[in-house]
Amino acid sequence: SVARALATAEKRFILISSVLFCAVFILVSGIDSSAEPRRRAAQWIGFWGFFTFNAAIYSYIGQLFMCSVRGQGTAQILASIFIGINNFFSGLIVRPQQMTGLWKFTYWINPGHYVYEGLCMVVFSRAKNRFVDVATGSDYYDELCVGA
């Protein structure tokens, strides 16, 4: 039933909303606007792919909870817990360098980690402009693993 719900109801929503969001975001943000058209197209497709993947994960988990538990309220609470855990352990709230032991494991199994890393790599990997100047040997430099 989860696959049927995703195929019939969610697929169009995910595709349309991700295209609209990515088109507006890339055009408004002007990220790497000096790049050649071929590079911008690859950047847009990559950004759209990772954003669509993220929307599909959230949609799948939401449908899974709706089919697994009784009551919409319980499913919404479980989905909220999943989103919180996803944001917390994906590196958005706590940096991966500060996670140790079991918490490091949660970082690597979390789908949000891969989505957010992919979004950043697509946008910033070949940017000609440096957005932040980091002093060599500073704490921030070491946390970024720039020298590694």
Side-chain angles (χ1 to χ4, degrees), residues 109-129:
I109 65 167
N110 195 332
H113 155 242
Y114 299 102
V115 170
Y116 302 135
E117 188 173 306
L119 286 171
C120 289
M121 289 304 295
V122 165
V123 173
F124 299 115
S125 66
R126 294 187 183 166
K128 293 179 182 173
N129 301 331

Side-chain angles (χ1 to χ4, degrees), residues 5-134:
L6 285 173
T8 58
E10 299 292 328
K11 189 187 304 183
R12 278 180 252 160
F13 168 74
I14 291 169
L15 292 175
I16 292 170
S17 65
S18 64
V19 166
L20 290 175
F21 176 83
C22 292
V24 171
F25 180 80
I26 293 291
L27 290 174
V28 172
S29 67
I31 296 173
D32 205 11
S33 58
S34 63
E36 61 190 38
R38 189 175 188 183
R39 167 74 180 128
R40 283 195 60 113
Q43 180 183 31
W44 194 91
I45 290 169
F47 190 87
W48 174 80
F50 280 108
F51 185 83
T52 303
F53 178 57
N54 194 37
I57 288 171
Y58 285 135
S59 180
Y60 174 77
I61 295 297
Q63 291 291 338
L64 179 71
F65 288 140
M66 285 298 295
C67 294
S68 300
V69 297
R70 197 177 298 183
Q72 182 177 0
T74 306
Q76 288 175 340
I77 290 170
L78 289 173
S80 297
I81 291 169
F82 172 77
I83 290 170
I85 289 171
N86 191 33
N87 288 335
F88 191 79
F89 292 114
S90 64
L92 288 177
I93 297 173
V94 178
R95 289 182 294 207
Q97 294 85 356
Q98 295 175 338
M99 294 181 201
T100 58
L102 177 66
W103 303 116
K104 191 72 164 179
F105 176 72
T106 59
Y107 171 74
W108 288 108
I109 65 167
N110 195 332
H113 155 242
Y114 299 102
V115 170
Y116 302 135
E117 188 173 306
L119 286 171
C120 289
M121 289 304 295
V122 165
V123 173
F124 299 115
S125 66
R126 294 187 183 166
K128 293 179 182 173
N129 301 331
R130 286 196 77 163
F131 297 99
V132 177
D133 286 326
V134 180

